[in-house]
Amino acid sequence: QVQLVESGGGLVQAGGSLRLSCAASRSIFSINAMGWYRQAPGKQRELVAVITSGGTPNYADSVKGRFTISRDNAKNTVYLQMNSLKPEDTAVYYCNARQRRGLIDYDYWGQGTQVTVSS
């Protein structure tokens, strides 16, 4: 198992930037994928960005060119740099760790951090 703790959320004006951090309770070196999801009020949780153990990132179309995901295995931490924020980016952001064992994927979640973008 792994515990995840997010930080870095807050209130920012449109066009501003925030950096989210996700600290893991153990090494993330062997975790297959680390990702960020978000959930706005009344909406389903959606994938924002994911990065594989090999360092390959993937992004939702809505954040491409504005958000950057990175991982620091030495610090057991994953980051989400968010630039050019828009009001529609407002949501609770959750960190996810996906560990594959055999044919089964195990998902671990943080408690979430609120991001609010004012217009």
Side-chain angles (χ1 to χ4, degrees), residues 61-87:
D61 288 343
S62 59
V63 307
K64 281 181 181 176
R66 300 188 298 122
F67 291 10
T68 303
I69 188 171
S70 61
R71 60 192 289 167
D72 186 335
N73 290 340
K75 295 183 178 179
N76 300 332
T77 301
V78 177
Y79 304 97
L80 184 69
Q81 178 66 43
M82 305 186 294
N83 299 327
S84 302
L85 282 161
K86 304 175 181 181

Side-chain angles (χ1 to χ4, degrees), residues 28-34 51-56 71 73:
I28 63 172
F29 180 80
S30 63
I31 293 180
N32 299 92
M34 299 289 298
I51 187 166
T52 67
S53 57
T56 301
R71 60 192 289 167
N73 290 340

Side-chain angles (χ1 to χ4, degrees), residues 31-109:
I31 293 180
N32 299 92
M34 299 289 298
W36 288 94
Y37 289 71
R38 67 187 180 188
Q39 187 166 18
K43 295 188 177 181
Q44 289 190 335
R45 190 173 296 190
E46 63 175 2
L47 175 68
V48 176
V50 63
I51 187 166
T52 67
S53 57
T56 301
N58 279 289
Y59 300 94
D61 288 343
S62 59
V63 307
K64 281 181 181 176
R66 300 188 298 122
F67 291 10
T68 303
I69 188 171
S70 61
R71 60 192 289 167
D72 186 335
N73 290 340
K75 295 183 178 179
N76 300 332
T77 301
V78 177
Y79 304 97
L80 184 69
Q81 178 66 43
M82 305 186 294
N83 299 327
S84 302
L85 282 161
K86 304 175 181 181
E88 51 263 43
D89 294 318
T90 295
V92 178
Y93 283 70
Y94 297 91
C95 181
N96 169 266
R98 175 162 291 179
Q99 180 70 65
R100 171 157 290 186
R101 297 192 185 95
L103 299 178
I104 301 175
D105 285 332
Y106 293 86
D107 282 307
Y108 304 94
W109 296 93

